[in-house]
Amino acid sequence: MDLGKLTEIFSTLPEGYLPKWLLFTSALGIFNSIQNFCTDSLTKRVYANKPHEVTPLSGRLFATWTWSVSMIRIYAAFHLQHKFMYELGIWTYVIALTHYVGELLVFKGCKLNGPFMSPLFVAGKYD
């Protein structure tokens, strides 16, 4: 894809910070998906209280889930004028926040460290 086509695509992005945030967190999610398909070392740092529970299978499942959420956010970024896309995009953050808070407070798999704070911040910063 040439730079002109890429510029044309991004010119259709709605104004404001939310579309940019959706794209930024999608890029992070895609990176996270790739690394989860390749290794579980970064994921074990997020779930630092129970790294033994992070398995290659759970990493691949998490990668697939994160990749699908990233695709939803990309579509939402370009189609925020549709209420259902806006809501679907926001729900991806609510679900992620529920997961991370649950892992911190209920399942005790995470602890308040740098690797955990990053996804918690992304999940909680959606408005």
Side-chain angles (χ1 to χ4, degrees), residues 44-55:
K44 285 183 177 187
R45 292 177 58 204
V46 173
Y47 299 94
N49 276 346
K50 296 183 179 180
H52 59 281
E53 291 186 6
V54 176
T55 66

Side-chain angles (χ1 to χ4, degrees), residues 71-82:
M71 295 300 101
I72 290 169
R73 291 176 183 169
I74 289 170
Y75 275 89
F78 285 96
H79 301 285
L80 287 173
Q81 71 274 18
H82 302 290

Side-chain angles (χ1 to χ4, degrees), residues 80-98:
L80 287 173
Q81 71 274 18
H82 302 290
K83 185 177 186 271
F84 73 93
M85 285 306 301
Y86 171 83
E87 291 175 349
L88 191 58
I90 295 303
W91 273 108
T92 65
Y93 295 104
V94 173
I95 293 166
L97 184 61
T98 302

Side-chain angles (χ1 to χ4, degrees), residues 15-101:
E15 292 187 26
Y17 292 112
L18 183 56
K20 292 172 182 69
W21 181 252
L22 287 162
L23 289 179
F24 175 69
T25 58
S26 294
L28 292 176
I30 291 167
F31 165 76
N32 185 265
S33 294
I34 292 168
Q35 75 84 27
N36 267 298
F37 280 125
C38 298
T39 180
D40 58 10
S41 62
L42 294 176
T43 305
K44 285 183 177 187
R45 292 177 58 204
V46 173
Y47 299 94
N49 276 346
K50 296 183 179 180
H52 59 281
E53 291 186 6
V54 176
T55 66
L57 174 60
S58 67
R60 291 189 305 272
L61 286 170
F62 196 71
T64 303
W65 178 78
T66 303
W67 191 357
S68 64
V69 166
S70 295
M71 295 300 101
I72 290 169
R73 291 176 183 169
I74 289 170
Y75 275 89
F78 285 96
H79 301 285
L80 287 173
Q81 71 274 18
H82 302 290
K83 185 177 186 271
F84 73 93
M85 285 306 301
Y86 171 83
E87 291 175 349
L88 191 58
I90 295 303
W91 273 108
T92 65
Y93 295 104
V94 173
I95 293 166
L97 184 61
T98 302
H99 167 74
Y100 288 114
V101 169

